[in-house]
Amino acid sequence: MNKVPIQIMDLTTLKAVVYELSKKIVPSRFEKAQQIDASTVQLAFRTLNNLIWVEMSWMAESPRIVQIQPPKRQGEKSTLAKQIKHLMTNLALVEITQKGFERIVSFKFSRRPGEETEKELIVELMGRHSNLILLDNKGKVITLGKQIKDNQSRLRPIGTGDIYKSPPPLKGIVPKSSESFNSWKNNICLIPSSFKTCLNQTYQGISPALTLQIASNNYDEAIDIVNQSVTNIKLKTWESIYRRWRGWLLDIENNNYFIKFEGVTEFIVWGGGEKGENENTQIGLELSSYYTNKILERKIINLKEKLIKELKNSKTDQLKKLHFQELLIKNISE
């Protein structure tokens, strides 16, 4: 089966979206909820100026949080949408947080800014382990995107009524822009393997897309570098990678994000120059269009392959029937 490549919302992209949403919808009043499919909800937040919609999906292939254009009305009667609307009506969104290099985002709600948190919406973007979980003020699960039973996960089953537990902590070193070149290089080269393997196993927050982006601006060169053994990479190349590594970390530290749909990966949200140059970017909306188009493209390809398979099976069946009829005619006596 042909698969449409979808670049996941990695740690860097998530940080960019959270930063942008924090400026746009904190504070705001929760207003509407709808569920458009089994793993995607859309929530509306009323600010002083307008109504802003946010899509949250725990779809395994493309878990995401993005701002979207006002959607058509659908899925308001789903159980999850009705629960969210009932439980969060009249509550204000007062804080959005994402800590360290975890792909977990917390949306906190209270009666009004400055008061105690009454509800907390947790969105975990972790591939097939992604989920959406609504907690009460004591950390108890009120409702969630999908129940995780004991036979599905012995480490972290979770269901309605359970006390929420965070996923196991990330392994690896926390990246820091202050780390020296020699320390950084020695950490990566500690157990020799390919660059992409060593980087991923050494530091937190690394995705396949980020590995390519850090390796080089040129796609062919980046592919060559990430697949090379760290023992074969030349010093000049290491120094170039380290400059990009520090540039990535400094952009995160300074919340300096933008979005560009070209380069070594499908899109990139860092490395766009000075902070003031990127203030008017609409990262969430751009990503919304990207994921909508990619998911639609994948659905069309899957539908096409299904139809081709059905037509082939039908043709085979018809040919068998034709052969049978021909045999009958041939065996009929004069």
Side-chain angles (χ1 to χ4, degrees), residues 14 18 22 26 93 95-99 102 104-108 120-123:
L14 183 60
V18 167
S22 294
V26 177
L93 173 64
E95 187 180 8
I96 306 175
T97 58
Q98 176 277 322
K99 297 179 181 178
E102 297 280 0
I104 302 169
V105 183
S106 166
F107 295 77
K108 293 184 178 180
E120 184 176 4
L121 186 65
I122 305 286
V123 186

Side-chain angles (χ1 to χ4, degrees), residues 147-268:
Q147 304 261 351
I148 308 297
K149 299 179 181 177
D150 292 337
N151 61 347
Q152 294 174 305
S153 174
R154 284 178 291 178
L155 285 175
R156 194 171 165 257
I158 188 166
T160 306
D162 292 338
I163 296 297
Y164 175 76
K165 294 180 182 178
S166 299
L170 292 173
K171 296 178 181 179
I173 302 168
V174 176
K176 294 179 181 177
S177 62
S178 58
E179 185 177 16
S180 70
F181 169 73
N182 287 331
S183 171
W184 169 81
K185 180 176 176 293
N186 290 338
N187 284 334
I188 295 174
C189 297
L190 190 61
I191 302 176
S193 185
S194 66
F195 176 76
K196 62 183 178 184
T197 300
C198 290
L199 187 67
N200 181 268
Q201 293 181 353
T202 303
Y203 287 96
Q204 297 179 9
I206 308 300
S207 67
L210 179 65
T211 305
L212 284 170
Q213 293 163 11
I214 287 170
S216 175
N217 281 324
N218 178 278
Y219 178 77
D220 292 333
E221 187 176 65
I223 288 291
D224 180 56
I225 290 170
V226 301
N227 289 306
Q228 272 190 59
S229 170
V230 291
T231 57
N232 296 332
I233 298 175
K234 295 179 180 178
L235 179 60
K236 187 177 179 181
T237 303
W238 276 116
E239 290 170 345
S240 175
I241 297 170
Y242 177 69
R243 284 194 295 272
R244 295 180 64 77
W245 170 266
R246 283 199 75 243
W248 165 62
L249 287 170
L250 288 171
D251 278 350
I252 287 179
E253 289 172 15
N254 297 319
N255 289 315
N256 184 25
Y257 305 109
F258 85 125
I259 190 160
K260 180 175 72 171
F261 290 92
E262 58 183 33
V264 295
T265 55
E266 296 260 298
F267 62 82
I268 184 169

Side-chain angles (χ1 to χ4, degrees), residues 318-329:
Q318 292 300 316
L319 287 172
K320 284 181 180 178
K321 289 179 179 178
L322 175 63
H323 180 65
F324 180 71
Q325 292 297 326
E326 288 172 341
L327 286 175
L328 285 177
I329 293 170

Side-chain angles (χ1 to χ4, degrees), residues 74-182:
Q74 59 178 324
E76 291 180 321
K77 294 183 179 180
S78 81
T79 302
L80 180 59
K82 287 194 291 187
Q83 285 178 315
I84 292 173
K85 188 171 182 179
H86 171 70
L87 293 164
M88 300 206 303
T89 296
N90 297 324
L91 291 182
L93 173 64
V94 294
E95 187 180 8
I96 306 175
T97 58
Q98 176 277 322
K99 297 179 181 178
F101 289 82
E102 297 280 0
R103 283 193 287 158
I104 302 169
V105 183
S106 166
F107 295 77
K108 293 184 178 180
F109 298 84
S110 62
R111 287 292 167 187
R112 55 182 57 85
E115 293 192 1
E116 182 185 355
T117 299
E118 294 204 12
K119 300 288 187 298
E120 184 176 4
L121 186 65
I122 305 286
V123 186
E124 301 176 345
L125 305 184
M126 304 181 299
R128 62 189 180 89
H129 300 294
S130 300
N131 211 343
L132 177 142
I133 305 159
L134 183 61
L135 312 177
D136 66 12
N137 58 357
K138 292 186 172 52
K140 184 183 291 185
V141 177
I142 310 172
T143 187
L144 68 170
K146 59 182 180 184
Q147 304 261 351
I148 308 297
K149 299 179 181 177
D150 292 337
N151 61 347
Q152 294 174 305
S153 174
R154 284 178 291 178
L155 285 175
R156 194 171 165 257
I158 188 166
T160 306
D162 292 338
I163 296 297
Y164 175 76
K165 294 180 182 178
S166 299
L170 292 173
K171 296 178 181 179
I173 302 168
V174 176
K176 294 179 181 177
S177 62
S178 58
E179 185 177 16
S180 70
F181 169 73
N182 287 331

Side-chain angles (χ1 to χ4, degrees), residues 260-312:
K260 180 175 72 171
F261 290 92
E262 58 183 33
V264 295
T265 55
E266 296 260 298
F267 62 82
I268 184 169
V269 298
W270 64 277
E274 297 299 322
K275 184 176 176 66
E277 298 173 10
N278 305 317
E279 288 298 310
N280 296 321
T281 55
Q282 296 283 340
I283 295 174
L285 290 173
E286 295 275 6
L287 286 171
S288 170
S289 296
Y290 169 82
Y291 284 116
T292 298
N293 291 337
K294 286 289 184 179
I295 292 167
L296 180 59
E297 189 179 349
R298 180 171 285 192
K299 285 180 179 177
I300 290 171
I301 288 175
N302 289 343
L303 180 60
K304 179 182 176 182
E305 291 180 342
K306 182 182 177 183
L307 288 172
I308 289 172
K309 185 178 179 180
E310 289 177 351
L311 287 170
K312 282 182 178 178

